[in-house]
Amino acid sequence: MGVASLFRVIEGASVTAPKGFRAGGLHCGLKKTSRNDLGAIVCEVPAVAAAVYTTNVFQAAPLKVTRESLAKGNTLRAVIVNSGNANACTGKQGEEDAYTMRAEAAHVLGVQVDEVAVASTGVIGELLKMDKVTAGIAALPASLAAGGSGSEQFSQAILTTDLVKKEVCVSLMIDDQEVKIAGSAKGSGMIHPNMATMLGFVTTDAKIHPDALQSLLRETTDVTFNMITVDGDTSTNDMLLVMASGLAENRELGPQHPDWESFAAALRHVCEILAQAIARDGEGATRLVEVEVTGAISDLSARTIAKTIVGSSLVKSAVFGADANWGRIIAAVGRAGEPVNPETVDIKLGTIPVLMGSRPIAFDEEEALAYLKGDTVVISVDLQNGKGSATAWGCDLTYDYVRINAAYRT
Amino acid sequence: MGVASLFRVIEGASVTAPKGFRAGGLHCGLKKTSRNDLGAIVCEVPAVAAAVYTTNVFQAAPLKVTRESLAKGNTLRAVIVNSGNANACTGKQGEEDAYTMRAEAAHVLGVQVDEVAVASTGVIGELLKMDKVTAGIAALPASLAAGGSGSEQFSQAILTTDLVKKEVCVSLMIDDQEVKIAGSAKGSGMIHPNMATMLGFVTTDAKIHPDALQSLLRETTDVTFNMITVDGDTSTNDMLLVMASGLAENRELGPQHPDWESFAAALRHVCEILAQAIARDGEGATRLVEVEVTGAISDLSARTIAKTIVGSSLVKSAVFGADANWGRIIAAVGRAGEPVNPETVDIKLGTIPVLMGSRPIAFDEEEALAYLKGDTVVISVDLQNGKGSATAWGCDLTYDYVRINAAYRT
């Protein structure tokens, strides 16, 4: 990527790396294990904030509360997150509980209630054990730390069936000031019984106009988090939240700023890394699948086709079996509902062409098998029908996916 | 169903039961086993015919040839079908091969080429072994029979990974004449490497106007075959073909005929039984899942929601695990992209209410488990938001689905 040179990745750093942010997490008792299940990111100044939410009709209570906080002035001092319970389909009591979480967090942190966002992930349809949540919130301030330990505790606190935490941090220069953008995310699939949530939290010390941040976030989400699929099911709790402390002291970023594109590229990288990490850690997954579609009539069309391929159960099963089954790929292209010239499709698995001009190409099965057994499988589809392109990420469909999701809730 | 009394089911009968039809099948050598892989249905008079085809962009060669035959006059004397090879993505040679199949069949049966339809199912991207096909076609006339043995041989010849043949026959009285409608279908999923085809063949001795037959077929397909999903992947070869011999000697059927609704109900029953049989025999399936959606803003909206639920990997996994996981059902409702009132959804598993007004209902987990372990699971979703309704059919997602589809092609 040409843009990569515009920023550098800081290994091992996460949401507490940008100036002004502390984070923490602890076990309050919502998870049956002793793993962290309550966390927070806190900013020492009001951070310009933007968020995107699940499109699911059944939005969970914390999303309503977070929307209200953001509507009040586009700034946040904190986000509080619990795992182990989604607080979704929980009615009036669920809403009251989400408001209580917000109020308690504001109280112990000494900020206004509408400066606090709330997120939840876990079981649908069960009420939060509020005694545990309230006690946990009271203990949260003591767990907050500015360095790696703070972000580590936070990143652990938001996990459900995830096997690994997902963090990233990049740095770039804007107006001769170092600006950092960092993120932490969770998302794996569902289990026991309904943990489907994709949560993402991005911090930056960039100074940025709130409208510019919101529109950039939406644009970036469309090509990153919205391009992953583990099982095609959209949660009731998905949320991606960005907080910008402004402490890097650059001139306020917006589309007119000369470094706007650099900032956008850096934010996109942060979101892309987190999105890929979620796909790679999909329930039961053994490998990351990346689908690159080029030559579509538009980017939007390319996105639809890429997501159809990466979401196909048959393609996903074939990747699990390391089977160079291009027939399933072209069948997915053909059912995506997008304009395609049936005579001009090229397909490559990694660098191995398997289809040219919609006709099979003889290829070395052993070479293909070796490639498909790798950690990451890249499927490239060139439609030769326009200039639209897109990339989508997913994972293979495995016995473990079925095992995890067929498990009784009890 | 009130309409059921308008017709009666004839057990054990199939496509040769309506007057005028013979059928047969044999092993010509396309399948590695000795199972039948070539079959035909033949009508002793020109049969009024109608067909619907896959919406996949990459339509296989036989579909092109069949379309041409039907365009020539809406009548057919025969359909010839092979399994073991889909003749899809096979270029000019594949088209020539499909034309050759049609010409050879017309020759040995003594009919015009444009009175013959062609269908194929099996591997994508490989050329047909035409020496075997040609030899098989030459031997086909000897295998044709009017009774149960003919339809039995035919029904076997069209199977790929299907575990059971799928047949049905109904009888009803029109103008004091007995009219029969019968069907044979195949479809299970994909394997080795790309067998995805849904093929359906319906015969009737009703006299019917070709335009009425075509529009009724399309309408019926929308609420039967188009309402099933095994894995969400649409084949390049799907075809549903109806042939009406007219030998029952009723007055010509059309929307003005007083018994039109009865005929439509009987045809719908035939298609519904075949569609359910395909869903129940889905790759790796252990149970049939029926999703009934009511209270939607329109039938079309209800169809989208029903198909979203029945196609959800998470719902399918939960059914496999006999897990009363309604959270996944409501999450699927919410992401279907259709208007839903988030406060008014009722969900039942069989007769067991699990959600009322979008709020969880306490239910007996043991009772639910016992129900979900049955042969057929009915999920009822009442949106209480309109008068639209729909039913969709699918199957559970099992280890065997992954095993079957992860298998190497070699």
Side-chain angles (χ1 to χ4, degrees), chain A residues 181-210:
Chain A
I181 311 176
S184 176
K186 66 90 37 177
S188 178
M190 300 200 183
I191 198 171
H192 194 87
N194 303 298
M195 301 184 188
T197 310
M198 198 293 293
L199 295 179
F201 302 98
V202 174
T203 59
T204 177
D205 42 22
K207 191 170 165 58
I208 184 167
H209 190 276

Side-chain angles (χ1 to χ4, degrees), chain A residues 56-57 91 190 193-194 232-234 312 314 321 323 325 328 331 334-335 359 365 399 401 403 405-409, chain B residues 56-57 91 190 193-194 232-234 312 314 321 323 325 328 331 334-335 359 365 399 401 403 405-409:
Chain A
N56 199 300
V57 169
M190 300 200 183
N194 303 298
D233 280 279
T234 307
S312 159
L314 289 160
D323 182 8
N325 201 326
R328 295 180 182 172
R335 74 172 163 88
R359 298 289 164 257
E365 289 274 359
Y399 297 116
Y401 177 86
R403 181 185 56 73
N405 286 302
Y408 303 123
R409 287 160 304 141
Chain B
N56 198 301
V57 168
M190 301 202 184
N194 304 297
D233 280 277
T234 307
S312 159
L314 289 159
D323 183 8
N325 200 326
R328 294 181 182 171
R335 73 172 165 88
R359 299 287 164 257
E365 288 274 359
Y399 296 116
Y401 178 85
R403 181 185 56 73
N405 287 301
Y408 303 124
R409 287 160 305 141

